Amino acid sequence: MIEERTVQLQQCMYQYSRAIYRSIKDLVEPYADRRSQLDSRRAVLVACEQTMERLASDPLYFAKPERALFQDIRRHFPITAQAEVAWAVQKGVDAAVEFIEEQIESGVLDGGVARCRATTRKGKPCQRTPLPDRDYCPSHQHLETKAAA
Ligand SMILES: [Zn+2]
């Protein structure tokens, strides 16, 4: 079911964002007072989550997500930690992008929604939503029957 897949995808993206956060949270400005450290960590966590949410909902049009995330959070880290943070963000975002690309290739995701596999009479891909657990929409479901026979 599409809904289950979406929930699964969101859970996976949540794990990727936690992984990025965990890999950099201890690098947050070490000489700041405890209060600002907590604020910074919270801001970093939110930025990671927002980046992953945007990546999941708009995977094809989110250019350079690792750069966007690093720009968002770099001010929370000391100069000496910038390279390490950039590297951790790159690695974490790469893993998430790779996961999303696999989902798109396997047909689970197509900019967020599955599409019917048929081609219309005008030669354009059908834009309708497939039947549950099927590759084709109601008007094209006869194609699936033919392929299975
Ligand atoms: Zn169709």
Side-chain angles (χ1 to χ4, degrees):
M1 298 292 287
I2 301 292
E3 295 79 16
E4 275 171 36
R5 285 168 177 167
T6 308
V7 171
Q8 274 179 0
L9 181 72
Q10 281 166 349
Q11 281 167 353
C12 289
M13 296 319 284
Y14 180 73
Q15 281 169 15
Y16 283 111
S17 95
R18 290 305 290 213
I20 297 173
Y21 172 71
R22 274 198 304 271
S23 68
I24 56 179
K25 72 178 169 64
D26 293 331
L27 300 170
V28 161
E29 201 64 74
Y31 303 114
D33 60 74
R34 176 132 185 87
R35 178 69 204 240
S36 343
Q37 273 190 350
L38 286 177
D39 286 349
S40 288
R41 284 187 181 188
R42 204 168 297 131
V44 169
L45 181 62
V46 168
C48 290
E49 282 172 359
Q50 284 173 345
T51 302
M52 290 301 124
E53 272 168 26
R54 191 176 151 204
L55 199 55
S57 62
D58 202 12
L60 302 175
Y61 301 99
F62 191 0
K64 301 204 186 304
E66 73 285 350
R67 211 159 79 182
L69 178 56
F70 181 61
Q71 290 303 334
D72 267 2
I73 62 174
R74 62 183 303 174
R75 68 198 163 85
H76 300 293
F77 299 92
I79 301 223
T80 47
Q82 298 279 313
E84 196 178 339
V85 171
W87 184 80
V89 165
Q90 170 90 56
K91 214 177 81 169
V93 172
D94 276 355
V97 167
E98 199 175 311
F99 170 77
I100 292 218
E101 276 170 358
E102 278 168 19
Q103 303 303 301
I104 293 174
E105 272 166 30
S106 69
V108 174
L109 260 187
D110 178 15
V113 195
R115 300 275 186 224
C116 171
R117 283 208 199 165
T119 307
T120 64
R121 271 176 225 158
K122 289 179 179 168
K124 289 184 179 163
C126 176
Q127 291 296 309
R128 299 184 63 184
T129 306
L131 291 161
D133 295 324
R134 300 293 165 129
D135 293 329
Y136 297 94
C137 72
S139 355
H140 289 117
Q141 58 178 318
H142 60 283
L143 293 170
E144 189 146 38
T145 320
K146 222 183 270 174

